Amino acid sequence: MQGLTHIAVVEDDPAISRMMRQCLGEHGFVASAASTGNELDTLLAGERIDLVVLDLGLPGEDGLSICRRIRVQSGVPIIMVTALDGETDRIVGLEMGADDYLPKPFNPRELVARIRAVLRRSHHGTLVPAQHPSVLCFDGWRLDLARRDLFDPSGVPRPLSSGEFNILAAFCQNPRTVLARDFLLGLVHARMAAVFDRSIDVQISRLRRKIEPHAGQPTLIKTVRNGGYVFTPLVTALDA
Ligand code: CA
């Protein structure tokens, strides 16, 4: 299976599920079926899944709830599929952390194109193999993951608290992906997080004051309503 991209198809309609998996197979993907959130949990727990295609309308837990729940634990790319072609649903889906959105009915080739586009984008987010600590660059800044140092565009070191560093590292490793507040909260000092739920917003505003050109009008760390935050710059790796 190494080298093959593994897609989880979460769809309760067996005919649509089969059609999607067949099309994905024809385009060189490995596809596994799940018809509920629980079945998806089992898949995610047992296998490496590279992307989730998630139907909005499912019996029991719906796609939005599943999306939000998965996003707290994982950065796996998610494409929401729905019969409801409303702008509101699209926006809600993206705020819940979906990477893209496809209204039904769709041409299976459109699904393949969307999957490839999302994977291309998300691969920018997995530039850092765990065994090779490296330096990540964004907007002229350098973040040294091994030494936990941040340097501004003029090369001047900018001290970060441990919570700020953890958040910035998570942003740099998952650029252009909505990171849920709960997920970020887990990266901040646990005791502080438990005492003070808004601490994540406090850490983010401190971080913004350190790295944003205009902290009042942030362009690097954007707030996503009800969802969390997204780090917008292109992040590249520099071998340390
Ligand atoms: Ca359905």
Side-chain angles (χ1 to χ4, degrees):
M1 291 260 304
Q2 197 170 15
L4 289 175
T5 303
H6 191 178
I7 314 281
V9 173
V10 191
E11 167 63 68
D12 59 309
D13 182 321
I16 297 178
S17 174
R18 200 176 320 118
M19 176 272 285
M20 286 200 276
R21 285 180 285 125
Q22 186 181 341
C23 177
L24 292 174
E26 285 165 6
H27 286 84
F29 296 104
V30 176
S32 295
S35 56
T36 63
N38 283 343
E39 288 181 21
L40 175 62
D41 291 340
T42 306
L43 269 182
L44 288 170
E47 320 212 17
R48 181 181 59 88
I49 299 290
D50 298 295
L51 184 142
V52 177
V53 176
L54 181 57
D55 186 29
L56 178 69
L58 295 169
E61 186 180 15
D62 71 25
L64 282 181
S65 165
I66 295 171
C67 180
R68 180 170 42 189
R69 191 164 56 72
I70 291 177
R71 190 47 83 234
V72 171
Q73 307 153 357
S74 144
V76 66
I78 299 172
I79 297 179
M80 297 282 304
V81 174
T82 174
L84 308 166
D85 185 13
E87 184 69 6
T88 312
D89 301 301
R90 191 185 78 83
I91 291 167
V92 170
L94 296 177
E95 285 187 349
M96 290 304 159
D99 297 270
D100 203 354
Y101 178 94
L102 193 57
K104 281 181 187 172
F106 56 85
N107 182 323
R109 277 178 310 189
E110 173 73 9
L111 175 65
V112 170
R114 298 288 185 101
I115 287 175
R116 291 200 170 126
V118 167
L119 288 173
R120 261 198 309 277
R121 270 190 276 146
S122 77
H123 285 158
H124 289 293
T126 51
L127 287 167
V128 195
Q131 307 89 319
H132 302 287
S134 49
V135 177
L136 297 181
C137 307
F138 64 93
D139 232 42
W141 293 75
R142 281 183 299 126
L143 185 68
D144 187 324
L145 293 175
R147 296 180 180 165
R148 298 176 70 89
D149 285 334
L150 175 69
F151 299 92
D152 73 11
S154 358
V156 176
R158 304 291 287 265
L160 292 176
S161 74
S162 135
E164 290 161 1
F165 174 86
N166 291 345
I167 291 171
L168 186 57
F171 277 137
C172 286
Q173 288 167 322
N174 302 277
R176 299 172 183 186
T177 303
V178 177
L179 299 184
R181 289 178 76 254
D182 290 349
F183 172 80
L184 292 169
L185 203 52
L187 303 172
V188 180
H189 197 275
R191 189 156 47 91
M192 181 180 172
V195 170
F196 189 29
D197 179 57
R198 301 295 288 176
S199 65
I200 189 69
D201 300 325
V202 174
Q203 304 268 343
I204 295 276
S205 38
R206 282 203 206 117
L207 202 45
R208 277 175 171 155
R209 282 200 292 275
K210 290 181 182 176
I211 66 171
E212 293 277 359
H214 306 286
Q217 288 170 303
T219 54
L220 298 177
I221 303 174
K222 293 271 202 189
T223 304
V224 181
R225 190 166 53 86
N226 297 331
Y229 295 93
V230 63
F231 193 59
T232 62
L234 178 68
V235 177
T236 54
L238 197 79
D239 288 331

